[in-house]
Amino acid sequence: MGFFGRKAASRAEAPGVADRFTGPERERVEALWRLTALPRAEFDATYGTMLAGFWRYAGSARGEAWEALRRETLACAVAALRARQARVLPRFAAAEDAARLAEVMSFALAACVVAERFAAVAGRATAPGWRPLTDDVPETAAPGGAPPPRPFGALLLARLAGEAGLGWLGQEPAALRALAAYFADGPSELRAIAEEAERRIGLPLDRGPAVSAPDPPPAEQAAADRPDAPQPQAATAEPEPAPERTPPPAIGGEGAGWEWINWVRTGLRDGSVPVNAPGDWLHNIEGEAYVVAPACFEAFAAGRDLAPATIRHRVVRLRRHRQRAAPSGAANLFRAALADGSRVKGMVFPGELVWDDQPPPRANARLVGKGR
């Protein structure tokens, strides 16, 4: 029996699910699967069917906004599950239930991220005669209206996530509560993970104001309504402008390999690429720039029409990274033990290639194994 029960696990992948995705999308779906502990058949019945449902929903839509939606949605789902690995959810679960509940919470997070992203675009689109809650997006739909209220994503999720996925969520009250909280006004652990992941890869979502705001206490409202009530004074002080950040000079030549290196250099200085942070992919290990793979390439690929593997190959061809001896020839990846206790694989670059003469603090981390 799998994680979500014998009946659901026995379902085969819906016909045509894999055909919904392009080559680069299939690579990101594979990356999503590797972040779960599900057998592939169970992953296809839940994650695969859920993703295919949303892809089918917007399959006829045309334009860059819809193409970017699909690219960014998969990038954010992968980033969210990667950030989720550093969290224990749900907290205080019994030991015998922990593995099962951890998997269903991961699925709830991924489904919420996908539903929210699609709702943010589909909820602003209009087309003559189109009914967004019952009809697929027509070819003529064009985004341009006001952002939809947050619960619109929950409505899309209930319609498009698929029978197996909804059945899995429905049998776990903790997952249902977490899903409802994600689309509500109050705090949500899953939404906090999604927001953290978005910031890491530079794809924050504008969620707009809360659906409802608390009314002021009656006494405060009455005082504000009195004719003699003091009126708030307009601010007179001008806010100080934020200091400008000077981007580092571009180095190297053209092509995705150098573009990736310069993107890392710029992101390190403007804060969009954190360094030495738990769960992040750039670390200063003994003065060298260590990047966790494939996360470092997936972050760059988000929003671009390039597969992470393609970016990695072009970076490797630059030969600016350290290599180690291996039985089959030179190897590109080194294992590292990070400060949070995780063991990862990644590439090592000269520190000055990434941060010139302004190195960040060294991480409490080290290379391990042969070739360190």
Side-chain angles (χ1 to χ4, degrees):
M1 183 182 297
F3 280 102
F4 55 91
R6 190 182 306 276
K7 182 177 179 181
S10 65
R11 292 190 179 94
E13 180 184 358
V17 165
D19 296 339
R20 290 281 172 186
F21 308 118
T22 64
E25 288 172 351
R26 281 194 290 271
E27 287 192 17
R28 292 193 176 104
V29 173
E30 289 290 317
L32 199 65
W33 174 47
R34 290 194 296 270
L35 290 167
T36 76
L38 295 178
R40 186 57 196 241
E42 295 187 4
F43 176 87
D44 288 338
T46 51
Y47 287 82
T49 299
M50 179 268 294
L51 290 169
F54 281 91
W55 259 239
R56 182 175 57 251
Y57 174 67
S60 298
R62 297 292 179 264
E64 173 56 28
W66 301 98
E67 294 175 7
L69 169 64
R70 289 184 278 267
R71 291 195 304 269
E72 294 175 3
T73 294
L74 279 178
C76 288
V78 171
L81 256 63
R82 184 169 287 114
R84 182 258 181 279
Q85 291 183 321
R87 310 286 187 96
V88 177
L89 291 176
R91 290 179 288 179
F92 314 119
E96 61 271 18
D97 299 327
R100 186 189 78 252
L101 290 174
E103 282 300 319
V104 72
M105 293 295 277
S106 290
F107 177 67
L109 172 62
C112 287
V113 167
V114 173
E116 186 178 36
R117 288 268 162 181
F118 271 75
V121 178
R124 296 189 298 109
T126 57
W130 177 42
R131 299 167 297 179
L133 291 182
T134 58
D135 304 339
D136 290 346
V137 180
E139 185 175 351
T140 56
R150 188 176 293 162
F152 183 55
L155 298 176
L156 286 186
L157 192 155
R159 180 193 161 198
L160 302 173
E163 182 183 356
L166 291 175
W168 189 21
L169 293 169
Q171 73 186 27
E172 300 292 353
L176 279 183
R177 287 193 294 269
L179 189 151
Y182 189 102
F183 294 102
D185 286 352
S188 162
E189 287 185 292
L190 294 187
R191 195 184 331 117
I193 295 173
E195 291 172 346
E196 175 189 334
E198 292 164 6
R199 289 192 298 270
R200 290 181 181 180
I201 63 174
L203 291 173
L205 182 67
D206 181 8
R207 291 174 169 82
V211 176
S212 60
D215 293 330
E220 292 183 16
Q221 184 63 52
D225 289 341
R226 292 202 317 267
D228 59 344
Q231 299 300 312
Q233 299 295 316
T236 57
E238 290 289 336
E240 292 186 7
E244 294 186 2
R245 299 177 186 269
T246 303
I251 62 174
E254 298 180 352
W258 283 113
E259 187 180 353
W260 177 85
I261 288 177
N262 283 299
W263 172 76
V264 176
R265 286 165 55 82
T266 300
L268 176 63
R269 284 156 182 80
D270 66 19
S272 60
V273 174
V275 62
N276 298 337
D280 282 314
W281 50 262
L282 175 62
H283 302 267
N284 178 353
I285 299 184
E286 298 179 355
E288 295 182 295
Y290 183 87
V291 294
V292 179
C296 60
F297 304 119
E298 291 170 348
F300 179 77
R304 294 175 172 85
D305 193 18
L306 281 174
T310 300
I311 299 165
R312 177 176 61 82
H313 291 322
R314 294 179 182 179
V315 172
V316 167
R317 285 203 297 267
L318 296 179
R319 297 189 180 279
R320 297 304 176 110
H321 61 291
R322 195 213 293 185
Q323 295 179 303
R324 60 181 176 81
S328 58
N332 301 312
L333 296 181
F334 292 76
R335 295 182 181 273
L338 302 183
D340 60 3
S342 59
R343 297 291 182 106
V344 296
K345 291 181 180 179
M347 297 177 67
V348 180
F349 294 86
E352 59 272 15
L353 182 71
V354 175
W355 45 69
D356 296 327
D357 58 352
Q358 300 177 16
R362 294 194 177 193
N364 182 18
R366 60 188 177 86
L367 300 182
V368 297
K370 295 181 179 179
R372 61 183 183 273

